[in-house]
Amino acid sequence: MSASTYPYLFATLGEAAHQLPDDIARALETTLTATQAANAPGGPTLLDCLQRIRQVEGADGQPWPRKGRTQAQCMAMARIDRANAGLTFLLELLHASERVRVDGEDTQHLPDDAREGLLLACRGLSEYVDVQLQAA
C-alpha cells in the first residue's frame, strides 16, 4: 500500500494507513474520494488541506517548487520555510512583549514565564532550522 495509491486515506491517517488490509483501504479510499467530489464546489475541505500539507506546502501554503530538487529536498526546504515563519512570528511577539514591558503599564506586562516560554520556543525552532539546513 502506498500514499500514491490511496492519497485521501494517507492524508487522513498518515502512516497508520499501512496497517489496514488492502480491501478495507480500497473501500475507505473510494468513500473518501466520493466525499471529496461531493464537497468540491463548497471550497476546500479538511481532506484537501491535509493532502496539500502532505504534498510539501511551504509557509505560504503553496507546494515547494521542485527546481531540480528531489522530493526529500523539497520536504526539507518546506519544513525550514514553515519553521522560519513560526520563528519570525514568535520573535515579533517577543519583541512586542518587550516594548510593552518597557513602555506599557504593569497590568499589560507578559508574565516572566510566558516570555521565557517564547524564548525557549525561538531557540528550539532556530536549532531545528539549523539541523535541517545542514541536512539539506
Side-chain angles (χ1 to χ4, degrees), residues 6-126:
Y6 302 109
Y8 294 109
L9 186 59
F10 273 85
T12 306
L13 300 176
E15 293 300 313
H18 285 296
Q19 299 174 359
L20 295 173
D22 195 52
D23 56 332
I24 293 174
R26 193 175 314 110
L28 287 171
E29 182 69 17
T30 301
T31 303
L32 291 169
T33 303
T35 303
Q36 173 65 24
N39 291 331
T45 65
L46 180 62
L47 290 175
D48 285 336
C49 292
L50 286 170
Q51 187 175 18
R52 279 198 315 275
I53 288 168
R54 293 199 185 257
Q55 291 174 346
V56 195
E57 282 189 346
D60 62 357
Q62 300 301 313
W64 195 262
R66 292 292 295 244
K67 294 184 183 174
R69 295 181 185 101
T70 66
Q71 181 70 12
Q73 289 170 327
C74 287
M75 289 177 76
M77 295 302 292
R79 287 180 180 138
I80 291 167
D81 188 44
R82 290 190 308 263
N84 189 49
L87 179 58
T88 300
F89 172 75
L90 288 174
L91 286 168
E92 289 170 352
L93 186 59
L94 187 59
H95 189 191
S97 75
E98 180 61 14
R99 282 190 182 166
V100 169
R101 188 188 69 75
V102 171
D103 298 330
E105 297 177 17
D106 288 345
T107 58
Q108 298 175 336
H109 291 189
L110 200 59
D112 288 342
D113 60 336
R115 280 198 323 270
E116 185 175 356
L118 287 171
L119 281 169
L120 291 173
C122 290
R123 283 183 53 199
L125 279 171
S126 66

